Amino acid sequence: MSARCRRPSPMSVFDFPPGREGYYGAYGGCFLPEILTSTIEELRECFRACKADPAFWREYVEVMQSYSGRPTPVTYLDNLSRHLGGARIYVKREDLNHTGSHKINNVMGQGLLCKRLGKTRVIAETGAGQHGFATATMAARFGLECKIYMGAVDVARQRPNVFWMENLGAEVVAVEDGQRTLKDAINECLRDWVTNMADTHYVLGTACGPHPFPEMVSYFQSLIGSESREQIQRLCGRLPDRVYACVGGGSNAIGIFQGFLDDEGVELVGCEAGGLGPGPGGHASRLAYRDASLGVAQGYKTYFLQNEDGNMLETHSIAAGLDYIGINPILAHLWEQGRVRFEAATDDEVREALRLVMRSEGLIPALESTHAFARAIAEAPTMARDDIILINQSGRGDKDIFTVADAIEDRAWKAFIRTKAEQYGA
Amino acid sequence: MALEPFLRERLARKPLLVMTHVVCGHPSFEDNLRALEVMAEFDVDMVELQFPFSEPSADGPRFVRANQLAIEQGVHTRDCLAFLARAAQRFPFKLLMMGYYNTVFKMGEARFVEQLAAAGGSGMIIPDLPLDEAGELRRLAAERDIDPILLMAPTNTDARLARLGEAARGFVYAVARKGVTGGKTAMDEALDVFIARCRRATRVPIGVGFGVSSRADMEFLRGRADIAIIGTAALAAWEAAGEAGLRDFLAELLGAPQGQGA
Ligand SMILES: Cc1ncc(COP(=O)(O)O)c(C=O)c1O
């Protein structure tokens, strides 16, 4: 077994003190209706057994290698580094996974776990559609029935992923409640789960929600961090100075950060959706801006964008996958401990960064991932030339073609869509 | 009078008590008040006032919509507490806060319990706050004679039911089936067995809710449960035909009014 197949070593954040299982400092926990108590206990037990079984991890790594193309490479961005004139920039290429993002890591892991649970049906929420796409793929591969809940707003802005999910055999439900985005899709999954838990596993897509989800999703995503650490050392002979990752719910970030948590010299930077800038309602930044406060919703305790009654605020981001009210409780804890720095990138900064990365390197990061690029691009020039930056490119941007075409006012694309519409007939 | 003795006293003269539900501020507090008046005409024993929350993930479509509409109309926690205080002055039934934990957490547990007690509330039903997380709130509530109502579910193990039953105060809310609020529940053998399991697990009265909507349901519950909990069906009646709709619905369910209203 090569070093990059190594099972995650138990890290201090997951060593819960007695009576505090599922808590990271003040954050996390498990707040679910009584009807799910047995289901979540069954899941906790199964995850515990999987963690204790080296064969489970081996099978997981084998699946990720043969099915998703892992390990994903780390790419040096020479043009961009020179253009910015500061630190050397490296990128972890999660976009090269099957289905185009890091979401598949978590999904295949939970799929194997689902088989152990003996459940025959999976449900999932999705924002950008990447998690839903990955789940539909896994369900097809493992022969599971699959239903995806997606906010109606996101269905409208991420049609290409909906198309693939449906063609992979999943049923996609457009959620019309609330703000009709990711949080509403999570509520709908919880409603399905309280009804169908006997045969259904809820494949939560990010490191949020009730324990054991934050820990379990982090466990599967830790592949990103352990691979990256080894790769960057091989390429540079040392560890990076800073690691950047975008933070929606916070799964790709905790995935890559886990590789460096114990390395004090490595600064970890979480990049949130700054949307239209600070002020309630215009963004989805829970920690970098000061509009969020501690709350309990969707099964866990963390910082939420909410009002004084505890009702959730509108959120906004150019990236559907970052457009969420809450944040990974492990990251909230690491932020409070001063281990992870939080920053936000606005929609405008993201559009600029995307253009620059496409033109200078021929990479098309997802709008979500571009938030991490935007912060790295802002900070790189202030760093020394032998400093090293590692960015997690959590996904590829093909899915964003409609949003990006709108954002950059691409006339040729609009003409093409008009022609296509005419061909389909009015 | 504390909740359990109040229920015991009523159970001595009525075989099956009734708890109904309104969503605060939906369609308006004036409508809520008229709904409570109708409920009083039928000598309802308890009413749960739902404090609207933006993420009501344990509720079905009708309550989800009601929560959303109430919030859009600008209903705040303080308005719900003020309404509860007004209702407590006026009606003989007991009033319970029903809602999600974030509403309590955001105000601060101590302050919330204080204000609920000052308003005249008797209990709280918080479906997303499991017993294991409720230690401090239960301690604060006990000091102010507020009963945090525990839910029991058909998916619970006997060991879990025993733990819940031991900790229960006031009464137990037995969830008649899997799923969210609203929709139909089969009043059958399985429910009978579940209610009996709840009964063995606790000495406090047992209310049964989720899908209770017809006279036949009431007949099924009589002799099995202590309290019938009526939620979505009453809201549906109000939304369809207002005061008259609710009155007809309750008459169908409970028989003619007892005339002990406000
Ligand atoms: C490509 C990509 N990156 C990032 C995210 C954000 O999720 P997380 O913060 O869990 O990594 C998403 C979510 O949909 C995504 O599709």
Side-chain angles (χ1 to χ4, degrees), chain A residues 323-372:
Chain A
D323 204 347
Y324 179 57
I325 49 173
I327 185 164
N328 179 337
I330 309 162
L331 288 177
H333 173 61
L334 293 171
W335 168 74
E336 195 179 69
Q337 299 289 304
R339 184 64 191 95
V340 178
R341 170 159 64 94
F342 269 84
E343 302 289 347
T346 64
D347 289 354
D348 284 342
E349 289 165 343
V350 166
R351 273 188 280 264
E352 268 316 300
L354 179 59
R355 217 186 314 250
L356 179 58
V357 174
M358 288 195 295
R359 292 296 172 93
S360 62
E361 295 288 354
L363 291 180
I364 310 174
L367 284 167
E368 289 78 11
S369 322
T370 308
H371 285 68

Side-chain angles (χ1 to χ4, degrees), chain A residues 165-179:
Chain A
M165 286 185 265
E166 289 179 344
N167 278 283
L168 287 158
E171 184 189 344
V172 181
V173 178
V175 178
E176 297 284 355
D177 298 322
Q179 298 172 22

Side-chain angles (χ1 to χ4, degrees), chain A residues 100-103 126-131 182 205-207 246-253 320-322 366 368-369 394-396 399:
Chain A
S101 84
H102 72 293
K103 296 286 179 188
T126 195
Q130 288 300 108
H131 175 60
L182 185 56
T206 189
C246 69
V247 182
S251 69
N252 86 86
L322 305 187
E368 289 78 11
S369 322
S394 55
R396 65 176 186 230
K399 69 181 173 63

